[in-house]
Amino acid sequence: MANLNIDSIKANTFDAIVIGSGISGGWAAKELTGKGLQTLVLERGRDVKHVVDYPTTMMNPWEFEHRNRLPLAVKEANPIISKCYAFYEGTTQFFVKDAEHPYVQEKPFDWIRGYQVGGKSLLWARQTQRWSNFDFEGPARDGYAVDWPIRYADLAPWYSYVEKFAGISGNKDGLDTLPDGEFLPPHEWNCVESHFQKQISAKYKDRHVIMGRAAHITKPQPIHLQQGRAQCQHRTICERGCPFGGYFSSNASTLPWAAKTGKMTLRPNSVVHSIIYDEKKGKATGVRVIDAESKQMMEFYARIIFVNAAALNTNLILLNSTSSRFPNGLGNDNGLLGKYVAFHNYRAGISGEYDGFLDSTTEGRRPNSPYIPRFRNVYKQETDFLRGYAAGFSAGRASRTNQEGLGASLKENLHKPSLGGWYVGSHMMGETIPKESNFVALDQSLKDPFGIPQLRISVAYDDNDDKMVKDYLEQMTEMFTAAGFTNIRTRDDKRNPGLDIHEMGGVRMGKDPKTSLLNKWNQMHAVKNVFVTDGASMTSTSTQNPSLTYMAMTARSVDYAVKEMKKQNL
């Protein structure tokens, strides 16, 4: 019996374990296996293989039973997930259904999740901006949250490293607020977008309109062809899964790359219960997993563990990883685990019309749009709110199909749609301030279907967010007016936190173990062989989309961890 137990432990022992297979988990798998480590990747959801498990990716609108719209019954059964812009008949297979994965909303919070191999990397908006020192220095300047233990220089080479592999399109704009990267050719502007850019450039010296930087292969390089990926076809149905690998996802890129090494073991349907801590050894030794199909508990072991379950689930796992040494959660000596959660404020938007360029229109599609980097409170505090916001911008022209006639005349009319005027729009991407009052915790009584405590979420907007919304609407109205746009309409949709799908924090990085959970290498202060490189690790949120920073931090952290292993420090 003893030998059987030893054999079982040996079969379940790896050099490294990665919890989660999304954007950061995929990168952890790629980097660990690439450095020769036998790596177990645990994914709580089902397996999704690139191309073969994208059932709707080649379907035409008329092939959907409900013409790609959600039936009322589906909306009523999923009041949270159906608020997500990407949730429709062609994507329901990639989203968590509300009733199957309950959580407690102490304050209204729309938690958008995708539980499958690849996670939300199949569903993300693919915007990839680097952070600048203005972003990393934000907390030090105004005293909210704690100072980041890293600066732009620490991540710059790693940004370059992951950009080259992932494939990022963009233009070198020379802005100190938004550092340039390793770009593939940028997407094209239309005439009204170019007009807006020129008008803003002429009127404002501190405001810029640039083409968005996006994880789309506009011109494949050898490294992308080696991954089996091809040029983006601009189909703009990315969230169904891309059979061409035209945009970056774990499924198309990092996971197949890791699999080619022969060093990766991918285990879907593995719901992580907790991390095992050995008090005699003073470190984590493995992970407890509940098999989603059999409901059996099992254990896997490794020298190092990367926690990449996505921000709130990473908090949940660590909070549930209790022992006599850590009764309040793994590494939680200071009681801060689960606190200082933040998100992005996407509440506000603005729209308008433009009556110029009526002799021009758009052609084809584009999976990207222009972007306005943050311009408030950058060099000095100039408003009655802290930090700032970025904004998206786009312009298009509506067309109405002429369906008169029969036969040849109908065909001719269909090829000559009548055009309306140009419409323009923008949405806000605001930074929220991490606060102790914004937290997640384990519910003391409610369990999920796997017997794990449900996550209790208490996250809300504050006065700073309201002031930021007001300023965005005022400033964008002024900018739209300067560009000659008319019929300008503003909105604050009061959406719940969570719909931005950019939750961050709870396991923040910092310089001092008394005020943070992780050091500058994303390594737990109190448990040196556990690393967190997803959104949970973020000290503050900035205004940029965060995924590129997760990728860079993950690659950097793995490099450090493997070097420490070789030194026998882990």
Side-chain angles (χ1 to χ4, degrees), residues 18-29 41-48 114-122 249-251 254-255 264 266-268 308-310:
V18 178
I19 302 172
S21 64
I23 280 178
S24 64
W27 267 98
V41 178
L42 297 170
E43 166 56 51
R44 66 175 295 152
R46 64 188 177 89
D47 193 11
V48 171
Y115 291 163
Q116 62 263 326
V117 169
K120 294 194 296 292
S121 77
L122 289 169
S249 69
S250 295
N251 307 66
T254 47
L255 290 176
M264 181 182 76
L266 176 62
R267 195 178 197 284
N308 300 89

PDB file of all heavy atoms in Angstrom, residues 18-29 41-48 114-122 249-251 254-255 264 266-268 308-310:
ATOM      1  N   VAL A  18       0.654  25.465 -13.116  1.00  0.00           N
ATOM      2  CA  VAL A  18       0.022  26.726 -13.499  1.00  0.00           C
ATOM      3  C   VAL A  18      -1.480  26.568 -13.303  1.00  0.00           C
ATOM      4  O   VAL A  18      -2.083  25.642 -13.840  1.00  0.00           O
ATOM      5  CB  VAL A  18       0.317  27.099 -14.961  1.00  0.00           C
ATOM      6  CG1 VAL A  18      -0.401  28.392 -15.341  1.00  0.00           C
ATOM      7  CG2 VAL A  18       1.822  27.229 -15.195  1.00  0.00           C
ATOM      8  N   ILE A  19      -2.065  27.464 -12.525  1.00  0.00           N
ATOM      9  CA  ILE A  19      -3.511  27.447 -12.284  1.00  0.00           C
ATOM     10  C   ILE A  19      -4.158  28.453 -13.217  1.00  0.00           C
ATOM     11  O   ILE A  19      -4.015  29.656 -13.055  1.00  0.00           O
ATOM     12  CB  ILE A  19      -3.835  27.779 -10.819  1.00  0.00           C
ATOM     13  CG1 ILE A  19      -3.157  26.791  -9.875  1.00  0.00           C
ATOM     14  CG2 ILE A  19      -5.346  27.788 -10.601  1.00  0.00           C
ATOM     15  CD1 ILE A  19      -3.285  27.166  -8.405  1.00  0.00           C
ATOM     16  N   GLY A  20      -4.853  27.948 -14.233  1.00  0.00           N
ATOM     17  CA  GLY A  20      -5.507  28.810 -15.204  1.00  0.00           C
ATOM     18  C   GLY A  20      -4.818  28.766 -16.550  1.00  0.00           C
ATOM     19  O   GLY A  20      -3.590  28.665 -16.631  1.00  0.00           O
ATOM     20  N   SER A  21      -5.611  28.840 -17.613  1.00  0.00           N
ATOM     21  CA  SER A  21      -5.055  28.720 -18.965  1.00  0.00           C
ATOM     22  C   SER A  21      -5.402  29.911 -19.840  1.00  0.00           C
ATOM     23  O   SER A  21      -5.328  29.825 -21.059  1.00  0.00           O
ATOM     24  CB  SER A  21      -5.565  27.431 -19.622  1.00  0.00           C
ATOM     25  OG  SER A  21      -6.983  27.481 -19.792  1.00  0.00           O
ATOM     26  N   GLY A  22      -5.791  31.011 -19.218  1.00  0.00           N
ATOM     27  CA  GLY A  22      -6.111  32.211 -19.985  1.00  0.00           C
ATOM     28  C   GLY A  22      -4.864  32.941 -20.444  1.00  0.00           C
ATOM     29  O   GLY A  22      -3.798  32.342 -20.637  1.00  0.00           O
ATOM     30  N   ILE A  23      -4.949  34.243 -20.603  1.00  0.00           N
ATOM     31  CA  ILE A  23      -3.840  35.000 -21.181  1.00  0.00           C
ATOM     32  C   ILE A  23      -2.565  34.856 -20.364  1.00  0.00           C
ATOM     33  O   ILE A  23      -1.497  34.533 -20.902  1.00  0.00           O
ATOM     34  CB  ILE A  23      -4.234  36.477 -21.352  1.00  0.00           C
ATOM     35  CG1 ILE A  23      -5.077  36.640 -22.619  1.00  0.00           C
ATOM     36  CG2 ILE A  23      -3.003  37.382 -21.426  1.00  0.00           C
ATOM     37  CD1 ILE A  23      -5.563  38.022 -22.892  1.00  0.00           C
ATOM     38  N   SER A  24      -2.628  35.070 -19.056  1.00  0.00           N
ATOM     39  CA  SER A  24      -1.400  34.977 -18.258  1.00  0.00           C
ATOM     40  C   SER A  24      -1.014  33.520 -18.002  1.00  0.00           C
ATOM     41  O   SER A  24       0.173  33.171 -18.020  1.00  0.00           O
ATOM     42  CB  SER A  24      -1.558  35.736 -16.942  1.00  0.00           C
ATOM     43  OG  SER A  24      -2.567  35.165 -16.130  1.00  0.00           O
ATOM     44  N   GLY A  25      -1.991  32.643 -17.792  1.00  0.00           N
ATOM     45  CA  GLY A  25      -1.692  31.231 -17.578  1.00  0.00           C
ATOM     46  C   GLY A  25      -1.060  30.591 -18.804  1.00  0.00           C
ATOM     47  O   GLY A  25      -0.135  29.776 -18.699  1.00  0.00           O
ATOM     48  N   GLY A  26      -1.538  30.970 -19.988  1.00  0.00           N
ATOM     49  CA  GLY A  26      -0.943  30.462 -21.219  1.00  0.00           C
ATOM     50  C   GLY A  26       0.507  30.889 -21.358  1.00  0.00           C
ATOM     51  O   GLY A  26       1.367  30.100 -21.767  1.00  0.00           O
ATOM     52  N   TRP A  27       0.779  32.128 -20.998  1.00  0.00           N
ATOM     53  CA  TRP A  27       2.156  32.605 -21.054  1.00  0.00           C
ATOM     54  C   TRP A  27       3.042  31.899 -20.028  1.00  0.00           C
ATOM     55  O   TRP A  27       4.200  31.567 -20.305  1.00  0.00           O
ATOM     56  CB  TRP A  27       2.221  34.119 -20.864  1.00  0.00           C
ATOM     57  CG  TRP A  27       2.210  34.823 -22.183  1.00  0.00           C
ATOM     58  CD1 TRP A  27       1.142  35.395 -22.807  1.00  0.00           C
ATOM     59  CD2 TRP A  27       3.319  34.987 -23.070  1.00  0.00           C
ATOM     60  NE1 TRP A  27       1.514  35.904 -24.033  1.00  0.00           N
ATOM     61  CE2 TRP A  27       2.848  35.673 -24.217  1.00  0.00           C
ATOM     62  CE3 TRP A  27       4.665  34.625 -23.016  1.00  0.00           C
ATOM     63  CZ2 TRP A  27       3.681  35.999 -25.292  1.00  0.00           C
ATOM     64  CZ3 TRP A  27       5.489  34.952 -24.088  1.00  0.00           C
ATOM     65  CH2 TRP A  27       5.006  35.632 -25.204  1.00  0.00           C
ATOM     66  N   ALA A  28       2.503  31.662 -18.832  1.00  0.00           N
ATOM     67  CA  ALA A  28       3.281  30.926 -17.822  1.00  0.00           C
ATOM     68  C   ALA A  28       3.615  29.532 -18.337  1.00  0.00           C
ATOM     69  O   ALA A  28       4.755  29.057 -18.199  1.00  0.00           O
ATOM     70  CB  ALA A  28       2.496  30.844 -16.516  1.00  0.00           C
ATOM     71  N   ALA A  29       2.649  28.866 -18.964  1.00  0.00           N
ATOM     72  CA  ALA A  29       2.880  27.523 -19.514  1.00  0.00           C
ATOM     73  C   ALA A  29       3.946  27.555 -20.593  1.00  0.00           C
ATOM     74  O   ALA A  29       4.855  26.704 -20.620  1.00  0.00           O
ATOM     75  CB  ALA A  29       1.573  26.960 -20.064  1.00  0.00           C
ATOM     76  N   VAL A  41      -0.786  22.249 -16.294  1.00  0.00           N
ATOM     77  CA  VAL A  41      -1.691  23.387 -16.421  1.00  0.00           C
ATOM     78  C   VAL A  41      -3.091  22.931 -16.029  1.00  0.00           C
ATOM     79  O   VAL A  41      -3.651  22.022 -16.640  1.00  0.00           O
ATOM     80  CB  VAL A  41      -1.692  23.949 -17.855  1.00  0.00           C
ATOM     81  CG1 VAL A  41      -2.670  25.111 -17.975  1.00  0.00           C
ATOM     82  CG2 VAL A  41      -0.289  24.383 -18.262  1.00  0.00           C
ATOM     83  N   LEU A  42      -3.633  23.546 -15.014  1.00  0.00           N
ATOM     84  CA  LEU A  42      -4.955  23.195 -14.491  1.00  0.00           C
ATOM     85  C   LEU A  42      -5.982  24.215 -14.971  1.00  0.00           C
ATOM     86  O   LEU A  42      -5.817  25.422 -14.750  1.00  0.00           O
ATOM     87  CB  LEU A  42      -4.934  23.163 -12.961  1.00  0.00           C
ATOM     88  CG  LEU A  42      -4.014  22.120 -12.320  1.00  0.00           C
ATOM     89  CD1 LEU A  42      -3.892  22.366 -10.817  1.00  0.00           C
ATOM     90  CD2 LEU A  42      -4.522  20.709 -12.589  1.00  0.00           C
ATOM     91  N   GLU A  43      -7.019  23.737 -15.599  1.00  0.00           N
ATOM     92  CA  GLU A  43      -8.109  24.593 -16.072  1.00  0.00           C
ATOM     93  C   GLU A  43      -9.423  24.054 -15.534  1.00  0.00           C
ATOM     94  O   GLU A  43      -9.738  22.882 -15.706  1.00  0.00           O
ATOM     95  CB  GLU A  43      -8.139  24.622 -17.596  1.00  0.00           C
ATOM     96  CG  GLU A  43      -9.403  25.206 -18.204  1.00  0.00           C
ATOM     97  CD  GLU A  43      -9.695  26.614 -17.718  1.00  0.00           C
ATOM     98  OE1 GLU A  43      -8.789  27.475 -17.784  1.00  0.00           O
ATOM     99  OE2 GLU A  43     -10.835  26.864 -17.255  1.00  0.00           O
ATOM    100  N   ARG A  44     -10.198  24.917 -14.863  1.00  0.00           N
ATOM    101  CA  ARG A  44     -11.432  24.448 -14.241  1.00  0.00           C
ATOM    102  C   ARG A  44     -12.512  24.111 -15.274  1.00  0.00           C
ATOM    103  O   ARG A  44     -13.416  23.320 -15.002  1.00  0.00           O
ATOM    104  CB  ARG A  44     -11.965  25.480 -13.254  1.00  0.00           C
ATOM    105  CG  ARG A  44     -12.430  26.781 -13.859  1.00  0.00           C
ATOM    106  CD  ARG A  44     -13.056  27.677 -12.786  1.00  0.00           C
ATOM    107  NE  ARG A  44     -14.261  27.082 -12.256  1.00  0.00           N
ATOM    108  CZ  ARG A  44     -14.739  27.282 -11.028  1.00  0.00           C
ATOM    109  NH1 ARG A  44     -14.083  28.062 -10.184  1.00  0.00           N
ATOM    110  NH2 ARG A  44     -15.855  26.715 -10.640  1.00  0.00           N
ATOM    111  N   GLY A  45     -12.442  24.696 -16.450  1.00  0.00           N
ATOM    112  CA  GLY A  45     -13.465  24.466 -17.467  1.00  0.00           C
ATOM    113  C   GLY A  45     -13.120  23.329 -18.414  1.00  0.00           C
ATOM    114  O   GLY A  45     -12.138  22.619 -18.248  1.00  0.00           O
ATOM    115  N   ARG A  46     -13.940  23.196 -19.432  1.00  0.00           N
ATOM    116  CA  ARG A  46     -13.785  22.112 -20.405  1.00  0.00           C
ATOM    117  C   ARG A  46     -12.626  22.401 -21.358  1.00  0.00           C
ATOM    118  O   ARG A  46     -12.123  23.521 -21.436  1.00  0.00           O
ATOM    119  CB  ARG A  46     -15.081  21.957 -21.203  1.00  0.00           C
ATOM    120  CG  ARG A  46     -15.413  23.171 -22.049  1.00  0.00           C
ATOM    121  CD  ARG A  46     -16.793  23.094 -22.674  1.00  0.00           C
ATOM    122  NE  ARG A  46     -17.095  24.317 -23.407  1.00  0.00           N
ATOM    123  CZ  ARG A  46     -16.799  24.522 -24.688  1.00  0.00           C
ATOM    124  NH1 ARG A  46     -16.201  23.572 -25.389  1.00  0.00           N
ATOM    125  NH2 ARG A  46     -17.108  25.662 -25.288  1.00  0.00           N
ATOM    126  N   ASP A  47     -12.242  21.385 -22.094  1.00  0.00           N
ATOM    127  CA  ASP A  47     -11.189  21.549 -23.080  1.00  0.00           C
ATOM    128  C   ASP A  47     -11.754  22.252 -24.321  1.00  0.00           C
ATOM    129  O   ASP A  47     -12.876  21.974 -24.748  1.00  0.00           O
ATOM    130  CB  ASP A  47     -10.610  20.188 -23.480  1.00  0.00           C
ATOM    131  CG  ASP A  47      -9.310  20.306 -24.250  1.00  0.00           C
ATOM    132  OD1 ASP A  47      -8.747  21.420 -24.289  1.00  0.00           O
ATOM    133  OD2 ASP A  47      -8.843  19.284 -24.792  1.00  0.00           O
ATOM    134  N   VAL A  48     -10.987  23.178 -24.860  1.00  0.00           N
ATOM    135  CA  VAL A  48     -11.308  23.827 -26.126  1.00  0.00           C
ATOM    136  C   VAL A  48     -10.037  23.835 -26.952  1.00  0.00           C
ATOM    137  O   VAL A  48      -9.060  24.479 -26.586  1.00  0.00           O
ATOM    138  CB  VAL A  48     -11.823  25.273 -25.931  1.00  0.00           C
ATOM    139  CG1 VAL A  48     -11.933  25.992 -27.272  1.00  0.00           C
ATOM    140  CG2 VAL A  48     -13.176  25.269 -25.229  1.00  0.00           C
ATOM    141  N   GLY A 114     -15.362  33.220 -18.390  1.00  0.00           N
ATOM    142  CA  GLY A 114     -15.323  32.209 -19.441  1.00  0.00           C
ATOM    143  C   GLY A 114     -14.491  31.044 -18.963  1.00  0.00           C
ATOM    144  O   GLY A 114     -13.263  31.136 -18.910  1.00  0.00           O
ATOM    145  N   TYR A 115     -15.142  29.960 -18.573  1.00  0.00           N
ATOM    146  CA  TYR A 115     -14.435  28.801 -18.018  1.00  0.00           C
ATOM    147  C   TYR A 115     -14.242  27.737 -19.093  1.00  0.00           C
ATOM    148  O   TYR A 115     -15.134  26.930 -19.359  1.00  0.00           O
ATOM    149  CB  TYR A 115     -15.213  28.215 -16.834  1.00  0.00           C
ATOM    150  CG  TYR A 115     -15.247  29.087 -15.603  1.00  0.00           C
ATOM    151  CD1 TYR A 115     -16.186  28.869 -14.596  1.00  0.00           C
ATOM    152  CD2 TYR A 115     -14.336  30.133 -15.428  1.00  0.00           C
ATOM    153  CE1 TYR A 115     -16.220  29.653 -13.456  1.00  0.00           C
ATOM    154  CE2 TYR A 115     -14.376  30.920 -14.288  1.00  0.00           C
ATOM    155  CZ  TYR A 115     -15.318  30.687 -13.299  1.00  0.00           C
ATOM    156  OH  TYR A 115     -15.357  31.463 -12.171  1.00  0.00           O
ATOM    157  N   GLN A 116     -13.087  27.770 -19.721  1.00  0.00           N
ATOM    158  CA  GLN A 116     -12.684  26.744 -20.670  1.00  0.00           C
ATOM    159  C   GLN A 116     -11.191  26.929 -20.910  1.00  0.00           C
ATOM    160  O   GLN A 116     -10.617  27.936 -20.505  1.00  0.00           O
ATOM    161  CB  GLN A 116     -13.430  26.868 -21.999  1.00  0.00           C
ATOM    162  CG  GLN A 116     -13.194  28.175 -22.745  1.00  0.00           C
ATOM    163  CD  GLN A 116     -14.250  29.204 -22.512  1.00  0.00           C
ATOM    164  OE1 GLN A 116     -15.410  28.867 -22.349  1.00  0.00           O
ATOM    165  NE2 GLN A 116     -13.877  30.482 -22.485  1.00  0.00           N
ATOM    166  N   VAL A 117     -10.572  25.953 -21.532  1.00  0.00           N
ATOM    167  CA  VAL A 117      -9.173  26.105 -21.900  1.00  0.00           C
ATOM    168  C   VAL A 117      -9.050  27.357 -22.776  1.00  0.00           C
ATOM    169  O   VAL A 117      -9.762  27.511 -23.760  1.00  0.00           O
ATOM    170  CB  VAL A 117      -8.650  24.860 -22.643  1.00  0.00           C
ATOM    171  CG1 VAL A 117      -7.279  25.141 -23.263  1.00  0.00           C
ATOM    172  CG2 VAL A 117      -8.557  23.679 -21.685  1.00  0.00           C
ATOM    173  N   GLY A 118      -8.163  28.238 -22.387  1.00  0.00           N
ATOM    174  CA  GLY A 118      -8.035  29.532 -23.062  1.00  0.00           C
ATOM    175  C   GLY A 118      -8.742  30.651 -22.339  1.00  0.00           C
ATOM    176  O   GLY A 118      -8.448  31.823 -22.558  1.00  0.00           O
ATOM    177  N   GLY A 119      -9.698  30.292 -21.471  1.00  0.00           N
ATOM    178  CA  GLY A 119     -10.390  31.295 -20.674  1.00  0.00           C
ATOM    179  C   GLY A 119     -10.970  32.417 -21.515  1.00  0.00           C
ATOM    180  O   GLY A 119     -11.534  32.200 -22.588  1.00  0.00           O
ATOM    181  N   LYS A 120     -10.798  33.648 -21.023  1.00  0.00           N
ATOM    182  CA  LYS A 120     -11.330  34.809 -21.731  1.00  0.00           C
ATOM    183  C   LYS A 120     -10.397  35.298 -22.838  1.00  0.00           C
ATOM    184  O   LYS A 120     -10.709  36.297 -23.500  1.00  0.00           O
ATOM    185  CB  LYS A 120     -11.604  35.945 -20.736  1.00  0.00           C
ATOM    186  CG  LYS A 120     -12.723  35.640 -19.736  1.00  0.00           C
ATOM    187  CD  LYS A 120     -13.188  36.888 -18.999  1.00  0.00           C
ATOM    188  CE  LYS A 120     -12.123  37.512 -18.142  1.00  0.00           C
ATOM    189  NZ  LYS A 120     -11.738  36.697 -16.970  1.00  0.00           N
ATOM    190  N   SER A 121      -9.268  34.592 -23.058  1.00  0.00           N
ATOM    191  CA  SER A 121      -8.416  34.996 -24.186  1.00  0.00           C
ATOM    192  C   SER A 121      -9.126  34.747 -25.516  1.00  0.00           C
ATOM    193  O   SER A 121      -8.730  35.304 -26.537  1.00  0.00           O
ATOM    194  CB  SER A 121      -7.071  34.255 -24.155  1.00  0.00           C
ATOM    195  OG  SER A 121      -7.182  32.914 -24.601  1.00  0.00           O
ATOM    196  N   LEU A 122     -10.172  33.930 -25.496  1.00  0.00           N
ATOM    197  CA  LEU A 122     -10.998  33.741 -26.689  1.00  0.00           C
ATOM    198  C   LEU A 122     -11.965  34.898 -26.894  1.00  0.00           C
ATOM    199  O   LEU A 122     -12.512  35.075 -27.987  1.00  0.00           O
ATOM    200  CB  LEU A 122     -11.795  32.432 -26.579  1.00  0.00           C
ATOM    201  CG  LEU A 122     -11.011  31.131 -26.707  1.00  0.00           C
ATOM    202  CD1 LEU A 122     -11.887  29.948 -26.317  1.00  0.00           C
ATOM    203  CD2 LEU A 122     -10.487  30.960 -28.126  1.00  0.00           C
ATOM    204  N   SER A 249      -4.587  34.458 -28.844  1.00  0.00           N
ATOM    205  CA  SER A 249      -5.298  33.762 -27.770  1.00  0.00           C
ATOM    206  C   SER A 249      -4.387  32.654 -27.266  1.00  0.00           C
ATOM    207  O   SER A 249      -3.482  32.207 -27.978  1.00  0.00           O
ATOM    208  CB  SER A 249      -6.626  33.159 -28.267  1.00  0.00           C
ATOM    209  OG  SER A 249      -6.388  32.077 -29.150  1.00  0.00           O
ATOM    210  N   SER A 250      -4.635  32.200 -26.055  1.00  0.00           N
ATOM    211  CA  SER A 250      -3.870  31.068 -25.532  1.00  0.00           C
ATOM    212  C   SER A 250      -4.040  29.852 -26.428  1.00  0.00           C
ATOM    213  O   SER A 250      -3.098  29.091 -26.669  1.00  0.00           O
ATOM    214  CB  SER A 250      -4.333  30.729 -24.113  1.00  0.00           C
ATOM    215  OG  SER A 250      -4.056  31.779 -23.219  1.00  0.00           O
ATOM    216  N   ASN A 251      -5.264  29.661 -26.928  1.00  0.00           N
ATOM    217  CA  ASN A 251      -5.571  28.473 -27.731  1.00  0.00           C
ATOM    218  C   ASN A 251      -4.797  28.428 -29.040  1.00  0.00           C
ATOM    219  O   ASN A 251      -4.383  27.363 -29.491  1.00  0.00           O
ATOM    220  CB  ASN A 251      -7.074  28.417 -28.027  1.00  0.00           C
ATOM    221  CG  ASN A 251      -7.913  28.522 -26.780  1.00  0.00           C
ATOM    222  OD1 ASN A 251      -7.905  29.559 -26.127  1.00  0.00           O
ATOM    223  ND2 ASN A 251      -8.644  27.471 -26.437  1.00  0.00           N
ATOM    224  N   THR A 254       0.079  30.390 -27.265  1.00  0.00           N
ATOM    225  CA  THR A 254       0.986  29.955 -26.201  1.00  0.00           C
ATOM    226  C   THR A 254       0.801  28.496 -25.799  1.00  0.00           C
ATOM    227  O   THR A 254       1.783  27.785 -25.554  1.00  0.00           O
ATOM    228  CB  THR A 254       0.830  30.858 -24.961  1.00  0.00           C
ATOM    229  OG1 THR A 254      -0.573  31.026 -24.673  1.00  0.00           O
ATOM    230  CG2 THR A 254       1.454  32.223 -25.208  1.00  0.00           C
ATOM    231  N   LEU A 255      -0.442  28.029 -25.711  1.00  0.00           N
ATOM    232  CA  LEU A 255      -0.658  26.645 -25.291  1.00  0.00           C
ATOM    233  C   LEU A 255      -0.161  25.636 -26.327  1.00  0.00           C
ATOM    234  O   LEU A 255       0.516  24.672 -25.959  1.00  0.00           O
ATOM    235  CB  LEU A 255      -2.137  26.411 -24.946  1.00  0.00           C
ATOM    236  CG  LEU A 255      -2.635  27.107 -23.673  1.00  0.00           C
ATOM    237  CD1 LEU A 255      -4.132  26.876 -23.484  1.00  0.00           C
ATOM    238  CD2 LEU A 255      -1.863  26.649 -22.441  1.00  0.00           C
ATOM    239  N   MET A 264       4.376  19.915 -21.335  1.00  0.00           N
ATOM    240  CA  MET A 264       3.127  20.379 -20.735  1.00  0.00           C
ATOM    241  C   MET A 264       2.108  19.261 -20.595  1.00  0.00           C
ATOM    242  O   MET A 264       1.880  18.485 -21.530  1.00  0.00           O
ATOM    243  CB  MET A 264       2.508  21.501 -21.575  1.00  0.00           C
ATOM    244  CG  MET A 264       1.208  22.052 -20.967  1.00  0.00           C
ATOM    245  SD  MET A 264       0.399  23.349 -21.939  1.00  0.00           S
ATOM    246  CE  MET A 264      -0.351  22.386 -23.268  1.00  0.00           C
ATOM    247  N   LEU A 266      -1.805  19.245 -19.832  1.00  0.00           N
ATOM    248  CA  LEU A 266      -2.979  20.105 -19.699  1.00  0.00           C
ATOM    249  C   LEU A 266      -4.125  19.289 -19.131  1.00  0.00           C
ATOM    250  O   LEU A 266      -4.494  18.255 -19.685  1.00  0.00           O
ATOM    251  CB  LEU A 266      -3.360  20.684 -21.062  1.00  0.00           C
ATOM    252  CG  LEU A 266      -4.632  21.534 -21.125  1.00  0.00           C
ATOM    253  CD1 LEU A 266      -4.509  22.775 -20.250  1.00  0.00           C
ATOM    254  CD2 LEU A 266      -4.929  21.928 -22.581  1.00  0.00           C
ATOM    255  N   ARG A 267      -4.680  19.765 -18.015  1.00  0.00           N
ATOM    256  CA  ARG A 267      -5.771  19.032 -17.371  1.00  0.00           C
ATOM    257  C   ARG A 267      -6.995  19.927 -17.234  1.00  0.00           C
ATOM    258  O   ARG A 267      -7.110  20.732 -16.297  1.00  0.00           O
ATOM    259  CB  ARG A 267      -5.349  18.513 -16.000  1.00  0.00           C
ATOM    260  CG  ARG A 267      -6.311  17.451 -15.460  1.00  0.00           C
ATOM    261  CD  ARG A 267      -5.881  16.900 -14.116  1.00  0.00           C
ATOM    262  NE  ARG A 267      -6.552  15.657 -13.821  1.00  0.00           N
ATOM    263  CZ  ARG A 267      -7.828  15.546 -13.412  1.00  0.00           C
ATOM    264  NH1 ARG A 267      -8.568  16.635 -13.286  1.00  0.00           N
ATOM    265  NH2 ARG A 267      -8.359  14.360 -13.169  1.00  0.00           N
ATOM    266  N   PRO A 268      -7.943  19.831 -18.184  1.00  0.00           N
ATOM    267  CA  PRO A 268      -9.192  20.588 -18.038  1.00  0.00           C
ATOM    268  C   PRO A 268     -10.092  19.943 -16.990  1.00  0.00           C
ATOM    269  O   PRO A 268      -9.752  18.917 -16.399  1.00  0.00           O
ATOM    270  CB  PRO A 268      -9.799  20.510 -19.437  1.00  0.00           C
ATOM    271  CG  PRO A 268      -9.242  19.262 -20.025  1.00  0.00           C
ATOM    272  CD  PRO A 268      -7.872  19.079 -19.429  1.00  0.00           C
ATOM    273  N   ASN A 308      -2.845  31.854 -11.839  1.00  0.00           N
ATOM    274  CA  ASN A 308      -3.307  32.679 -12.961  1.00  0.00           C
ATOM    275  C   ASN A 308      -4.766  32.374 -13.283  1.00  0.00           C
ATOM    276  O   ASN A 308      -5.148  32.196 -14.438  1.00  0.00           O
ATOM    277  CB  ASN A 308      -2.443  32.427 -14.200  1.00  0.00           C
ATOM    278  CG  ASN A 308      -0.985  32.759 -13.964  1.00  0.00           C
ATOM    279  OD1 ASN A 308      -0.205  31.910 -13.525  1.00  0.00           O
ATOM    280  ND2 ASN A 308      -0.598  33.982 -14.232  1.00  0.00           N
ATOM    281  N   ALA A 309      -5.578  32.315 -12.257  1.00  0.00           N
ATOM    282  CA  ALA A 309      -6.974  31.897 -12.403  1.00  0.00           C
ATOM    283  C   ALA A 309      -7.904  33.034 -12.812  1.00  0.00           C
ATOM    284  O   ALA A 309      -9.107  32.833 -12.904  1.00  0.00           O
ATOM    285  CB  ALA A 309      -7.459  31.269 -11.098  1.00  0.00           C
ATOM    286  N   ALA A 310      -7.364  34.222 -13.073  1.00  0.00           N
ATOM    287  CA  ALA A 310      -8.067  35.496 -13.285  1.00  0.00           C
ATOM    288  C   ALA A 310      -8.308  36.127 -11.919  1.00  0.00           C
ATOM    289  O   ALA A 310      -8.489  35.435 -10.911  1.00  0.00           O
ATOM    290  CB  ALA A 310      -9.363  35.358 -14.071  1.00  0.00           C
TER     291      ALA A 310
END
